[in-house]
Amino acid sequence: MCSRMCVMSEVNSPRLIVHSPANDSSTDRESQDFGSDNKRLRRREKNRIAAQRSRKKQTQKADKLHEEYERLEQENTALKREIRKLSEEVKHLSEVLKDHERICPLIQCAMNFVTMPRPHSDGLASCLPRRSQSEVS
């Protein structure tokens, strides 16, 4: 039996051991307990720092994703605006082409060319307005 008296208390602090000085082996145990407590405290501190580092990294990743989201939203808005602009341009050019088709002699001649082929090697040349001899020279 051990003649020493031990009192241990553990409330977020190393163990406090009170004993009688009658037994020298208890000093060894106390230093072992103190060593294991120090080890545990060092391990907790390292874990706390690692957890902080992990949370910081996670926050940075979330911030980076949010910035990427904002950039993509702006790019999407710009592309939609460009699509609207190009669609309006296509509509306008289609209207211009329709107006031009009604009055263009080349298109009318090309339509005739399809239905009635001409013997000339240059079929479209016959559709062009003839130049007078003074313009040719």
Side-chain angles (χ1 to χ4, degrees), residues 107-120:
I107 293 175
Q108 291 172 357
C109 184
M111 288 180 197
N112 290 336
F113 180 73
V114 172
T115 57
M116 300 184 335
R118 304 203 194 277
H120 302 310

Side-chain angles (χ1 to χ4, degrees), residues 20-39:
S20 65
N23 194 349
D24 286 338
S25 67
S26 65
T27 308
D28 290 340
R29 284 187 188 141
E30 182 180 315
S31 65
Q32 284 178 350
D33 287 345
F34 185 71
S36 66
D37 287 343
N38 271 343
K39 217 177 200 182

Side-chain angles (χ1 to χ4, degrees), residues 6 10 16 19 21 23 46 51-55 85 91 98 101 104 107 111 113 123 129 133-134 136:
C6 297
E10 185 177 57
L16 176 64
H19 65 304
N23 194 349
K46 284 174 78 174
Q52 283 177 338
R53 221 179 300 125
S54 176
R55 284 189 293 271
K85 178 184 161 195
K91 183 179 176 183
K98 280 182 184 180
E101 284 174 342
C104 180
I107 293 175
M111 288 180 197
F113 180 73
Q133 287 295 331
S134 61
V136 174

Side-chain angles (χ1 to χ4, degrees), residues 24-69:
D24 286 338
S25 67
S26 65
T27 308
D28 290 340
R29 284 187 188 141
E30 182 180 315
S31 65
Q32 284 178 350
D33 287 345
F34 185 71
S36 66
D37 287 343
N38 271 343
K39 217 177 200 182
R40 187 171 355 123
L41 287 174
R42 282 194 306 266
R43 191 172 46 230
R44 279 184 177 179
E45 180 66 16
K46 284 174 78 174
N47 186 37
R48 185 182 65 78
I49 291 169
Q52 283 177 338
R53 221 179 300 125
S54 176
R55 284 189 293 271
K56 183 177 179 181
K57 188 176 178 181
Q58 187 177 11
T59 301
Q60 288 173 341
K61 185 177 179 181
D63 290 346
K64 187 176 178 181
L65 282 173
H66 184 70
E67 289 172 7
E68 179 74 3
Y69 167 80

